[in-house]
Amino acid sequence: MACNMRTDLLISQICPTSGHVSVKRRIGNASVVRAVVVDHNTLVKDIIGSTRSLIMRRPTLPKPQLVEETDHERKGCKGKFGRFGGNFVPETLISCLSDLDAEFNLVLHDAQFQAELATALRDYVGRETPLYFAERLTNHYKKNNNGEGPDIYLKREDLNHGGAHKINNAIAQAMIAKRLGRKSVVAATGAGQHGVATAAACAKLSLQCTIFMGTKDMEKQSSNLVLMKLLGAEVKSVDGNFKDATSEAFREWVGNLESSYYLTGTVVGPHPCPSMVREFQSVIGKETRRQAMEKWGGKPDVLVACVGSGSNALGLFHEFIKEKDVRLIGVEAGGFGLESDKHSATLAKGDVGVYHGTMSYLLQDEEGQIIRPHSVGVGLEYPAVGPELSFLKDTGRAEYYSVTDKEALDACQLLCRLEGIIPSLEASHALAFLNKLCPTLPTGTKVVVNCSGRGDKDAEMILNHKYYPMEKQFPASQNL
């Protein structure tokens, strides 16, 4: 099939004013040079076979200004967030993605679909999830700061069916797959939470399910591997981690476009994938607004979420993007430190490029080759980040920081001992940033942290981690 053809794209020149790019497209021994407008969805990129990204040095492009249209998706520019986003895919996928976009826009205004989704979220997923006041965690940080500091609330997405926020999107997209008449669903997973959510949704809706998972992730997340199989999914191993599994899932999908559906769990990929996941995860922020009004009669002051590719962060942030008095803070995986080569801090250390069908920030070397990411939180090990989050970085609307593996492990164990809540290691990155954030905030500030998943899958690794035995760091008798 044409969609399996490998292509290499090399930029020869970028015009900083028009945004035109001179591109050499090489297919086999033939090559064609042509100008492509970056802001249009016409540049074709082989998202399946190639790990080569499209390098765009930040100094060569003007920094975008913060616009009032904070959903960023202007008429005629669907799927574009400033210079980010788009459809960088083989032409054979354009029609399929256009059909998906049309169906997505239909269900957004389909009263019957929305009613069925609301019922599924309530009765199957278990929404709404609590906005929990973490009193002991709040007092812990105040004690360390002379009694001053914010009130900390946790948005308990860990209490969803399946143990994470992933089910919000999985059940909705599985319903779309059913409407489109697809018989099977293909997905890729890293930490396994999206895999479990997709397998559960497919079982409920009588869809065949195939999950691709990296061999390294299978070793670390064996409990979720068992759950996926128990739910009836076929799990296929791929040498590597999440990025490798994603590429294999794309290959599987393009070989069966008429009968299969690619169910993405991240806010990356070609349009409309990022917008779909963002929309179905935005229930997190909508509930948070309503619950905050009930609890203290106002909005949160600060929202904090971990950032891998970005689905849980955008799920919390999107409702408040227009509220400029609400701080949006994303926390990336710093791994062994930003100066090491073992981290997943894409927004801190990446450059702009194209990967898996969209333009965003990427971890890449000087020649555009993808740098393998690292994090103790397996779900954060992805070398790219969503285009909308990339736009929020460039415009300054969101702040991004990083914490190390060790800081995330400490934060996980602290929450376990203070609140009796076991967060995932991914969510623990957001919790870890409280150590730096809380001393800077006045008393009475309302901080909401997205506890995006539970840590059952990570428990053994946390207890046996090479940094230190848990009891030595946080003995049960210690007065925290």
Side-chain angles (χ1 to χ4, degrees), residues 11 14-15 18-21 35-43 54 56 61 80 82-86 88 359:
I11 289 185
I14 301 174
C15 175
S18 69
H20 286 71
V21 182
V36 182
V37 180
V38 170
D39 283 339
H40 291 174
N41 299 336
T42 54
L43 182 59
L54 182 65
M56 299 182 66
L61 290 174
K80 294 292 291 182
R83 56 176 165 156
F84 303 104
F88 292 75
M359 183 175 288

Side-chain angles (χ1 to χ4, degrees), residues 8-11 45 50-57 351-354 362-371:
D8 287 322
L9 287 92
L10 304 175
I11 289 185
K45 169 70 177 171
S50 178
T51 59
R52 180 176 295 277
S53 59
L54 182 65
I55 297 180
M56 299 182 66
R57 299 296 178 195
D351 289 305
V352 178
V354 168
L362 309 175
L363 292 177
Q364 55 185 323
D365 62 22
E366 290 297 319
E367 295 184 355
Q369 299 299 320
I370 294 300
I371 297 173

Side-chain angles (χ1 to χ4, degrees), residues 127-142:
R127 304 206 71 90
E128 62 184 33
T129 58
L131 184 61
Y132 169 76
F133 176 47
E135 183 175 8
R136 291 196 68 204
L137 188 64
T138 295
N139 291 338
H140 169 77
Y141 285 111
K142 287 185 176 181

Side-chain angles (χ1 to χ4, degrees), residues 55-325:
I55 297 180
M56 299 182 66
R57 299 296 178 195
R58 290 188 64 187
T60 65
L61 290 174
K63 186 173 181 178
Q65 300 298 311
L66 183 60
V67 294
E68 292 300 319
E69 313 160 78
T70 49
D71 64 354
H72 327 310
E73 295 179 281
R74 301 178 297 282
K75 291 182 179 179
C77 293
K78 292 174 64 177
K80 294 292 291 182
F81 306 93
R83 56 176 165 156
F84 303 104
N87 276 13
F88 292 75
V89 298
E91 294 175 6
T92 50
L93 288 181
I94 294 295
S95 176
C96 184
L97 290 169
S98 296
D99 291 345
L100 179 59
D101 186 31
E103 189 66 24
F104 170 54
N105 284 286
L106 280 176
V107 303
L108 288 180
H109 304 96
D110 187 315
Q112 182 178 351
F113 179 91
Q114 292 298 325
E116 291 175 358
L117 178 57
T119 299
L121 291 174
R122 184 192 66 219
D123 297 343
Y124 185 68
V125 174
R127 304 206 71 90
E128 62 184 33
T129 58
L131 184 61
Y132 169 76
F133 176 47
E135 183 175 8
R136 291 196 68 204
L137 188 64
T138 295
N139 291 338
H140 169 77
Y141 285 111
K142 287 185 176 181
K143 179 181 177 181
N144 293 339
N145 194 39
N146 300 316
E148 299 291 321
D151 296 329
I152 302 167
Y153 290 80
L154 306 181
K155 184 56 175 164
R156 296 292 307 279
E157 292 301 293
D158 57 306
L159 295 179
N160 282 327
H161 176 51
H165 71 292
K166 294 294 188 180
I167 190 68
N168 303 324
N169 166 70
I171 191 68
Q173 285 206 54
M175 290 169 60
I176 290 176
K178 194 85 170 177
R179 278 173 59 109
L180 290 170
R182 302 296 190 264
K183 303 299 183 183
S184 63
V185 163
V186 177
T189 192
Q193 295 300 98
H194 177 58
V196 170
T198 301
C202 288
K204 182 182 187 300
L205 296 175
S206 188
L207 294 166
Q208 296 177 9
C209 182
T210 302
I211 307 292
F212 289 85
M213 192 173 187
T215 51
K216 294 182 179 179
D217 297 339
M218 285 180 164
E219 294 174 6
K220 297 175 183 177
Q221 307 289 311
S222 58
S223 61
N224 277 341
L225 177 62
V226 172
L227 293 178
M228 285 183 270
K229 292 180 177 179
L230 189 61
L231 289 164
E234 179 185 5
V235 183
K236 293 187 177 182
S237 63
V238 179
D239 187 32
N241 58 9
F242 178 53
K243 77 177 186 67
D244 306 296
T246 300
S247 296
E248 286 300 319
F250 268 121
R251 287 192 182 95
E252 179 80 6
W253 176 49
V254 299
N256 299 280
L257 290 176
E258 297 301 318
S259 61
S260 67
Y261 181 95
Y262 180 71
L263 202 159
T264 178
T266 68
V267 287
V268 297
H271 178 72
C273 296
S275 297
M276 290 176 65
V277 177
R278 190 270 318 278
E279 174 63 29
F280 295 134
Q281 292 295 358
S282 67
V283 64
I284 302 171
K286 292 172 183 175
E287 285 183 5
T288 298
R289 179 188 289 277
R290 183 170 62 252
Q291 292 168 327
M293 186 59 66
E294 292 172 355
K295 286 183 178 293
W296 62 80
K299 298 174 295 188
D301 297 303
V302 185
L303 303 176
V304 185
C306 66
V307 174
S309 55
S311 63
N312 94 92
L314 266 184
L316 180 64
F317 292 170
H318 193 258
E319 175 69 13
F320 298 94
I321 288 178
K322 295 181 181 180
E323 314 282 352
K324 296 184 181 179
D325 55 342

Side-chain angles (χ1 to χ4, degrees), residues 370-391:
I370 294 300
I371 297 173
R372 186 173 293 276
H374 161 79
S375 174
V376 71
V378 175
L380 303 182
E381 285 188 325
Y382 188 69
V385 67
E388 189 167 1
L389 288 173
S390 297
F391 180 83

Side-chain angles (χ1 to χ4, degrees), residues 413-432:
Q413 295 174 34
L414 184 66
L415 192 69
C416 290
R417 294 301 169 91
L418 287 180
E419 297 290 350
I421 296 171
I422 307 172
S424 67
L425 284 175
E426 292 78 22
S428 296
H429 284 71
L431 292 161

